[in-house]
């Protein structure tokens, strides 16, 4: 099973995929301790997971592959901005920066700046994230193109929808899926205080 998971993750990490890919995000994956966020495919194989480094003085998160290898380390700063670094080598190899544009109960907006694309002159926004934290829904844009979207897991005849499990759809592009996962994680943990208080409540539909 582990070899299959690693192979799936390697396939997903290729530069381009021709069709939309769905990942299912949950803190209750049977293969992980409760509370660890898992990004799994439709067969339940974990492709990415999130580990938190609670001992670090800043808000620090790590995106891991299916084998537990660190892909991206994310650091939160006091001004609400975030930085993502390659692997787990500390704050050395900067990949991207995220700035919060709006963080209201009904709307959250983030701007993502890739370091490789902004090594000269002023920073230019490469991706924009727009969504509602309370609904766990967001859309990641690259210009006018949609790179990825998140949504709650709605079911027929279901009155209330839990916010503990969401679906992430990544559309055909050349964007590193680990980067998409990192941006989604930042969106999920970057909600306003009022929304975080209501996080455990279901959504009525």
């Amino acid at each position: 099973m582990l070899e299959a998971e690693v192979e799936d993750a390697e396939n997903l990490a290729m530069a381009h995929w021709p069709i939309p890919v769905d990942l299912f995000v949950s803190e209750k994956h049977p293969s992980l301790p409760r509370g660890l966020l898992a990004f799994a495919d439709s067969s339940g194989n974990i492709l990415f997971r999130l580990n938190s480094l609670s001992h670090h003085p800043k808000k620090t998160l790590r995106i891991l592959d299916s084998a537990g290898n660190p892909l991206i380390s994310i650091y939160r700063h006091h001004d609400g901005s975030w930085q993502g670094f390659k692997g787990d080598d500390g704050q050395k190899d900067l990949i991207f920066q995220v700035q919060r544009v709006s963080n209201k109960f009904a709307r959250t907006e983030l701007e993502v700046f890739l370091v490789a694309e902004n090594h000269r002159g002023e920073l230019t926004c490469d991706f924009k994230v727009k969504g509602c934290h309370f609904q766990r829904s967001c859309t990641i844009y690259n210009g006018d193109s949609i790179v990825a979207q998140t949504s709650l897991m709605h079911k027929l005849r279901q009155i209330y929808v839990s916010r503990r499990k969401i679906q992430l759809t990544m559309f055909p592009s050349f964007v590193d899926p680990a980067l998409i996962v990192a941006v989604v994680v930042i969106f999920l943990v970057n909600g306003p205080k009022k929304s975080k208080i209501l996080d455990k409540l279901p959504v009525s539909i």
Side-chain angles (χ1 to χ4, degrees):
M1 177 65 73
L2 179 58
E3 293 180 356
E5 291 179 359
V6 172
E7 183 178 356
D8 287 341
E10 290 175 348
N11 291 336
L12 186 59
M14 295 174 64
H16 176 73
W17 54 94
I19 60 175
V21 175
D22 289 329
L23 297 183
F24 302 92
V25 188
S26 174
E27 295 181 352
K28 296 183 179 181
H29 195 280
S31 299
L32 295 178
R34 186 181 180 88
L36 293 184
L37 199 64
F39 292 74
D41 62 17
S42 58
S43 298
N45 300 317
I46 296 176
L47 302 184
F48 302 98
R49 56 192 177 97
L50 175 69
N51 271 15
S52 175
L53 302 180
S54 57
H55 63 274
H56 197 279
K58 295 181 180 180
K59 182 73 173 181
T60 309
L61 306 168
R62 287 189 301 174
I63 306 298
L64 312 177
D65 63 15
S66 59
N69 301 310
L71 300 175
I72 298 177
S73 296
I74 310 172
Y75 296 83
R76 182 175 186 175
H77 298 281
H78 296 297
D79 62 358
S81 65
W82 297 75
Q83 288 184 315
F85 296 84
K86 183 178 180 179
D88 192 28
D89 294 330
Q91 301 182 37
K92 296 180 181 179
D93 193 356
L94 182 63
I95 302 174
F96 65 86
Q97 301 181 58
V98 176
Q99 295 181 1
R100 183 174 55 198
V101 179
S102 176
N103 199 32
K104 300 179 180 179
F105 177 72
R107 188 169 185 83
T108 296
E109 293 188 22
L110 307 172
E111 292 184 342
V112 183
F113 303 85
L114 300 181
V115 174
E117 304 295 330
N118 290 279
H119 61 283
R120 295 179 182 178
E122 296 182 0
L123 290 177
T124 302
C125 176
D126 296 283
F127 302 99
K128 290 188 177 181
V129 184
K130 299 180 180 181
C132 175
H133 181 270
F134 181 73
Q135 295 283 349
R136 297 294 193 268
S137 62
C138 75
T139 302
I140 302 175
Y141 297 91
N142 181 3
D144 294 330
S145 301
I146 296 178
V147 175
Q149 288 181 319
T150 65
S151 61
L152 293 173
M153 302 290 292
H154 296 279
K155 295 181 180 180
L156 292 176
R157 301 178 181 177
Q158 186 176 14
I159 299 177
Y160 295 98
V161 180
S162 171
R163 292 199 302 278
R164 295 293 185 178
K165 187 174 183 179
I166 66 174
Q167 178 175 320
L168 165 62
T169 300
M170 295 187 288
F171 297 97
S173 73
F174 290 91
V175 181
D176 183 355
L179 173 61
I180 296 176
V181 168
V183 172
V184 168
V185 166
I186 292 174
F187 170 79
L188 292 175
V189 302
N190 199 55
K193 292 182 179 180
K194 184 177 180 181
S195 180
K196 291 180 180 179
I197 294 174
L198 301 175
D199 272 353
K200 295 183 179 180
L201 299 179
V203 176
S204 177
I205 58 175

